[in-house]
Amino acid sequence: MSNLNVVCLDLEGVLVPEIWIAFAEASGIPELKRTTRDEPDYDKLMKWRIGILKEHGLGLKEIQETIAKIDPIPGAKEFLDELRSLTQVIIVSDTFTQFAAPLMKKLGMPTIFCNTLEVAENGEITGFRMRCEKSKLTTVKALQTAGFETIAAGDSYNDLGMILNSKAGFLFKSTDKIKADYPELPAYEEYGDLLEAIKKVL
């Protein structure tokens, strides 16, 4: 077992429910259910979401109230705890620090690399700042440059860069469409199965 492995995991849909879907349900705005599973262009998706929030007069406070009620997917924390006892784990997410912080507490404070929202004094979300371009792919490439081997798992289009460019990559709780488009990628639904698959390549 090499100690130079780093497992890179997506957050939403993999360890916690999709934040925007939960907020769409809480706010009664079905359009906000669109995620990176539906729209591969994250920039386009976020600009569209911000427009809808503005239209409805909703801001960070309302979204954070919904996030406070979100719990990790059953089994996620146990999976993460066991994985972190075996190797280094980084959550690589396109979400924002303002959303992720309360969820990280519930997951035992794992390391997360994510982005940040631009928020006006009145709480209106005015924009967002991505940590770097193609943040997931760029992160695994940077870790590899620093001498690490990466193993990655995620569920959406924006995870494919890190999954396909890692020593081993897995789809987890993904869509039928993504599974059909990438039949070469092992796909799992249960944490135990994903854990066993990761253990084999550590």
Side-chain angles (χ1 to χ4, degrees):
M1 191 183 284
S2 160
N3 60 354
L4 292 177
N5 286 308
V6 178
V7 176
C8 297
L9 296 174
D10 176 39
L11 177 65
E12 292 181 64
V14 172
L15 298 170
V16 304
E18 292 278 353
I19 291 166
W20 288 97
I21 290 178
F23 185 63
E25 285 165 2
S27 62
I29 306 169
E31 305 96 288
L32 286 173
K33 285 190 174 169
R34 263 179 96 73
T35 70
T36 45
R37 290 173 167 207
D38 315 299
E39 172 53 77
D41 185 334
Y42 191 73
D43 194 62
K44 197 166 130 188
L45 179 66
M46 269 312 296
K47 285 178 175 154
W48 183 77
R49 285 168 169 168
I50 289 170
I52 290 177
L53 292 175
K54 197 175 171 62
E55 209 177 290
H56 290 268
L58 296 167
L60 182 60
K61 183 170 90 61
E62 289 80 6
I63 299 176
Q64 285 178 329
E65 283 167 2
T66 294
I67 293 170
K69 300 186 188 104
I70 294 177
D71 284 319
I73 295 168
K77 184 173 184 302
E78 294 75 8
F79 160 75
L80 205 50
D81 287 346
E82 188 163 346
L83 189 57
R84 289 166 75 194
S85 75
L86 301 171
T87 188
Q88 301 181 84
V89 180
I90 297 172
I91 296 172
V92 185
S93 171
D94 275 341
T95 193
F96 304 95
T97 46
Q98 294 93 333
F99 291 178
L103 295 166
M104 292 305 102
K105 285 194 183 119
K106 292 179 182 180
L107 286 169
M109 295 308 286
T111 300
I112 183 167
F113 292 174
C114 62
N115 305 304
T116 186
L117 289 169
E118 291 166 354
V119 184
E121 277 182 25
N122 66 357
E124 185 191 329
I125 298 170
T126 54
F128 57 99
R129 225 172 36 249
M130 302 299 276
R131 192 166 45 81
C132 53
E133 206 178 325
K134 292 194 177 136
S135 59
K136 298 188 181 200
L137 174 60
T138 307
T139 300
V140 298
K141 293 275 191 210
L143 287 165
Q144 290 159 3
T145 305
F148 293 99
E149 291 195 79
T150 59
I151 297 161
D155 68 325
S156 293
Y157 284 104
N158 64 339
D159 298 314
L160 292 167
M162 71 174 183
I163 291 171
L164 294 166
N165 287 279
S166 287
K167 172 177 84 166
F170 308 100
L171 291 171
F172 187 67
K173 296 184 183 293
S174 191
T175 64
D176 291 340
K177 168 119 182 64
I178 295 174
K179 285 188 238 180
D181 287 348
Y182 294 87
E184 73 279 15
L185 291 176
Y188 300 103
E189 298 298 319
E190 301 296 330
Y191 291 114
D193 297 338
L194 179 60
L195 188 65
E196 287 311 307
I198 293 172
K199 279 182 183 170
K200 288 192 177 104
V201 290
L202 283 176

